[in-house]
Amino acid sequence: MSWLEKISGSKLLSAGARKRNVPEGLWTKCESCQSVLYRAELERTLEVCPKCGAHRTISARQRLDHFLDAEPRIELGNELGPTDPLKFRDSRKYTERIKEAQADTDERDALVVMRGQLNGLPLVVTAFEFSFMGGSMGSVVGEKFVRGVNAALEHGTPLVLFAASGGARMQESLFSLLQMAKTSAALAKLAERGLPFISVMTHPTMGGVSASLAMLGDINIAEPKALIGFAGPRVIEQTVRQKLPEGFQRAEFLLEHGHIDMIIDRREMREKLYRILSMMTHFAPTITAQN
Amino acid sequence: MNLNYLDFEQPVAELQQKIEELRHATAGSEVSLTEEIARLEQKSKELTEQVFSNLTPWQVAQMARHPHRPYALDYIKTIFTDWEELHGDRHYHDDPAIVCGVARLEGRACVVIGQQKGRDAKERVYRNFGMPKPEGYRKALRIMQLAEKFNLPIITLIDTPGAYPGIDAEQRNQSEAIARNLIELSNLRTPVLATVIGEGGSGGALAIGVADHVMMLQHSIYSVISPEGCASILFKDAGRASEAAEAMKITAKDLFGLKLIDEIVPEPLGGAHRDVPLMMSTLKQKLITNLERLRHVPMTQLLATRYDRLMSYGTYDTAPVAKSA
């Protein structure tokens, strides 16, 4: 114990810690333009910086909550939780990492699936929770996504994906790798039935997730400046031993190279996806006569 | 140190050298050491059996990457007849890291797709160390669709450290190339038989690995990331690859136990490269048997079984958990 702690007791320090916590909840700084932003405003702008337009990480629930109509909403596969088939342990046990991620995010794994409506158009939406172990895809993510596809098949609706993932979950090794094949195979069924699949790749969408479900959209969309690719920039730099070009693997780079159909600002996502989906599904809202 | 042998094989290498020296010394002389040589050879065999009965996953990884190991084209040229290689993705390039073609297996026409590493320095560069680019996967897809169109079964031979992580590969959408193969293979209307002959490196391997029957050679590996990659990310030290190899369960034996592959193809004592003709005939027999079986399965059943298998991958808990307050 230092002399300061001795004379002041622990009260002073804990009061300081509390003090630091309070403003953090109210104000936050944009990593991109360094502007100090009001938290409540950021929630209204869906975590997009009102000053520079930087798209910050948004939770899967917040995403779905904004995207879907308030009613009806049915969550799918939330009874599914991860297991540790390989008794995997690196510097820490996989089971410990799971527990910590569950406590931090209040999710059981890294994908949330809901059936609902978008301006009355019925659909199934799947969203990755990036804060859960980097949105990595293991058995639960694969199975939940398939259940989302199956629900879309059963109800004859489109499927939308919001991807945000570092790739396959190493702690489940080959089980994870095979989720790439599993999710892709399910999407083949959706394609056979002529039901649209729209993939929205948000920052970041990499590795096994980008190289399977996320790149298989009938329409592939990205959020501004999202990092999207197969290999991570660090791995590529080590392999080719040269500096990567400016903007490499960013949404704008992908648009220029023809990998994606369009870039959509998160604040316009709802409106734009509705416009596209209503055309693809020949959806005509039932208009009730006003007088 | 004998470079033909890996470090854990050195006791065998030393014994083999002694045998060679004895042979040399007695050549042309009247002293016969035949009995002594026979005794040592027996001992060498027993020693090899002992070493190979208990390989660690990291040692298996070294076997899978052994520079003398037979590569896809070695198998293709020995097991098949009438091999005609087909080139190019029709859009951009011909990727030498993936070879595709038509050939006959015991007289029956089929399509063969394999990942090809290089034998010497020059060929290694030419083949990009067996790391395919998007055009390689797109060539494979073109040939798979050709197989479907003309009712030819597909045999794939997997041997890659992974899909190429390079600037050009990303510019041409490596992700999409792999993803496209996964979705197309999942309902391709022809039997697909995949064999990991060396390294099954992640998505780059899976892109030609979605099949009706998946086999692995005894000393091959199949994993979501290389042991070195896993070690550097999770253990924060690429030097701990051996621990990562252990943790990830990458060997044929482990993956068969987990029901993630269907069959193990035994290798000759000491590995495929120690008795190439035996390795060839073993694999050939396995390919013939499995293709014969798959050929008689009605198409709808074949596709339904393939789909169900894909859907069965994964382990999860279904017990609802009460949320803690």
Side-chain angles (χ1 to χ4, degrees):
Chain A
M1 203 181 258
S2 74
W3 63 270
L4 178 67
E5 284 169 275
K6 261 184 205 152
I7 56 162
S8 63
S10 57
K11 264 185 192 161
L12 184 113
L13 291 173
S14 61
R18 246 200 321 277
K19 247 182 202 163
R20 272 200 306 276
N21 281 339
V22 176
E24 209 175 61
L26 260 172
W27 299 95
T28 185
K29 205 161 92 179
C30 173
E31 299 276 331
S32 187
C33 70
Q34 311 298 320
S35 308
V36 176
L37 307 168
Y38 188 41
R39 244 313 349 139
E41 189 181 2
L42 264 180
E43 263 157 49
R44 275 194 300 275
T45 61
L46 303 168
E47 303 293 325
V48 176
C49 171
K51 302 275 185 348
C52 74
H55 283 51
R56 303 152 58 92
T57 302
I58 184 172
S59 78
R61 297 238 167 229
Q62 201 188 342
R63 167 88 66 179
L64 290 168
D65 194 43
H66 167 76
F67 189 74
L68 287 170
D69 297 348
E71 293 277 322
R73 288 181 190 181
I74 301 158
E75 186 166 352
L76 305 170
N78 65 348
E79 73 279 18
L80 300 175
T83 60
D84 180 16
L86 308 178
K87 308 268 169 286
F88 194 94
R89 178 186 195 129
D90 45 80
S91 52
R92 292 173 62 202
K93 282 186 181 170
Y94 177 36
T95 48
E96 277 171 27
R97 287 186 193 267
I98 292 172
K99 269 192 203 127
E100 189 183 283
Q102 288 176 334
D104 286 354
T105 60
D106 215 17
E107 299 294 347
R108 288 191 76 190
D109 211 309
L111 191 79
V112 181
V113 182
M114 277 187 200
R115 194 157 71 78
Q117 295 183 354
L118 173 62
N119 289 337
L121 186 155
L123 80 178
V124 175
V125 186
T126 59
F128 275 80
E129 177 53 63
F130 186 71
S131 305
F132 193 106
M133 295 185 75
S136 56
M137 176 163 72
S139 300
V140 172
V141 169
E143 177 66 19
K144 278 182 114 169
F145 183 77
V146 167
R147 291 193 184 189
V149 174
N150 289 343
L153 284 167
E154 186 189 339
H155 299 277
T157 72
L159 178 73
V160 172
L161 163 71
F162 291 101
S165 171
R169 188 172 297 168
M170 282 175 282
Q171 290 87 347
E172 290 185 31
S173 195
L174 209 70
F175 283 101
S176 299
L177 184 73
L178 294 172
Q179 301 312 308
M180 294 170 66
K182 178 171 173 171
T183 52
S184 302
L187 286 172
K189 297 278 179 200
L190 206 63
E192 271 169 31
R193 279 276 301 278
L195 296 169
F197 172 49
I198 293 190
S199 171
V200 182
M201 291 174 265
T202 78
H203 180 74
T205 301
M206 303 299 293
V209 169
S210 136
S212 60
L213 63 169
M215 270 296 170
L216 292 172
D218 293 302
I219 294 181
N220 287 336
I221 293 165
E223 284 191 340
K225 298 211 170 89
L227 187 77
I228 300 158
F230 176 65
R234 208 163 48 91
V235 175
I236 297 173
E237 233 161 16
Q238 280 166 6
T239 311
V240 302
R241 295 178 196 286
Q242 65 186 85
K243 236 184 129 40
L244 302 178
E246 181 74 19
F248 181 63
Q249 292 184 318
R250 295 287 169 180
E252 297 71 17
F253 172 94
L254 268 77
L255 184 68
E256 188 193 327
H257 285 84
H259 304 177
I260 55 174
D261 292 277
M262 53 173 71
I263 295 172
I264 299 181
D265 188 298
R266 190 181 290 160
R267 292 162 291 189
E268 294 166 8
M269 195 65 74
R270 224 184 111 83
E271 194 188 324
K272 290 240 184 188
L273 288 197
Y274 174 72
R275 183 186 288 176
I276 293 165
L277 277 172
S278 62
M279 288 189 264
M280 289 175 87
T281 58
H282 305 273
F283 178 75
T286 6
I287 300 156
T288 22
Q290 284 300 301
N291 46 1
Chain B
M1 185 163 156
N2 188 334
L3 294 178
N4 279 333
Y5 291 85
L6 298 168
D7 55 359
F8 60 88
E9 297 177 285
Q10 287 307 318
V12 178
E14 282 162 26
L15 207 52
Q16 281 298 331
Q17 198 186 341
K18 204 182 265 174
I19 294 169
E20 277 314 302
E21 280 165 11
L22 280 180
R23 280 219 179 95
H24 216 71
T26 56
S29 96
E30 283 154 32
V31 197
S32 170
L33 288 174
T34 322
E35 260 178 48
E36 176 66 4
I37 290 173
R39 196 182 60 79
L40 286 176
E41 286 207 314
Q42 180 58 29
K43 203 177 155 197
S44 165
K45 187 170 170 253
E46 281 164 17
L47 194 60
T48 312
E49 271 165 9
Q50 195 197 325
V51 168
F52 277 83
S53 65
N54 219 354
L55 294 184
T56 66
W58 180 237
Q59 288 169 336
V60 174
Q62 288 168 275
M63 291 296 295
R65 298 166 174 173
H66 199 291
H68 293 168
R69 203 172 167 79
Y71 294 148
L73 280 173
D74 300 316
Y75 288 104
I76 290 170
K77 286 173 179 168
T78 316
I79 293 176
F80 300 86
T81 59
D82 302 275
W83 163 249
E84 288 296 339
E85 188 172 347
L86 304 169
H87 294 273
D89 68 346
R90 292 287 190 271
H91 295 285
Y92 176 75
H93 228 275
D94 181 41
D95 185 352
I98 289 192
V99 293
C100 303
V102 285
R104 288 184 187 276
L105 177 64
E106 281 270 280
R108 267 186 207 288
C110 61
V111 152
V112 190
I113 295 168
Q115 284 150 338
Q116 178 67 22
K117 293 179 175 176
R119 191 64 70 191
D120 56 28
K122 199 175 152 202
E123 202 204 348
R124 272 188 209 123
V125 171
Y126 173 65
R127 302 282 181 191
N128 198 26
F129 304 87
M131 294 186 285
K133 295 183 180 180
E135 51 272 25
Y137 292 111
R138 288 176 185 138
K139 168 170 70 174
L141 178 61
R142 180 174 78 81
I143 305 303
M144 288 167 193
Q145 285 165 341
L146 183 138
E148 180 182 54
K149 184 172 176 184
F150 299 107
N151 250 326
L152 301 168
I154 299 170
I155 290 170
T156 70
L157 302 172
I158 297 165
D159 192 12
T160 179
Y164 183 59
I167 295 173
D168 54 341
E170 296 289 328
Q171 271 167 348
R172 294 193 290 278
N173 209 349
Q174 186 72 286
S175 290
E176 192 271 348
I178 293 171
R180 187 63 50 201
N181 284 15
L182 299 180
I183 191 170
E184 293 296 328
L185 270 174
S186 77
N187 62 0
L188 201 74
R189 301 176 64 82
T190 193
V192 186
L193 176 52
T195 309
V196 184
I197 57 171
E199 276 185 280
S202 193
L206 187 64
I208 60 164
V210 177
D212 298 301
H213 192 76
V214 180
M215 306 195 286
M216 278 178 79
L217 298 200
Q218 189 182 351
H219 302 311
S220 65
I221 57 170
Y222 196 2
S223 65
V224 68
I225 184 171
S226 71
E228 292 89 340
C230 176
S232 88
I233 298 170
L234 289 184
F235 295 81
K236 312 277 177 221
D237 177 6
R240 294 173 70 183
S242 128
E243 287 166 69
E246 189 90 40
M248 284 200 295
K249 305 276 183 280
I250 60 175
T251 66
K253 197 176 149 195
D254 281 336
L255 295 172
F256 182 75
L258 291 166
K259 298 197 169 75
L260 296 177
I261 62 157
D262 304 295
E263 193 171 354
I264 301 175
V265 183
E267 292 190 24
L269 183 61
H273 59 290
R274 295 267 173 243
D275 188 346
V276 175
L278 176 60
M279 185 71 254
M280 296 290 160
S281 70
T282 311
L283 181 58
K284 184 176 183 180
Q285 213 42 59
K286 293 274 187 201
L287 293 176
I288 292 170
T289 313
N290 281 300
L291 225 47
E292 191 54 23
R293 179 175 58 79
L294 293 173
R295 209 166 60 83
H296 293 289
V297 181
M299 190 50 63
T300 43
Q301 193 189 324
L302 188 83
L303 293 180
T305 311
R306 190 187 301 163
Y307 189 77
D308 291 346
R309 263 162 53 86
L310 289 169
M311 292 306 123
S312 76
Y313 293 139
T315 90
Y316 37 83
D317 191 5
T318 48
V321 169
K323 277 211 171 154
S324 51

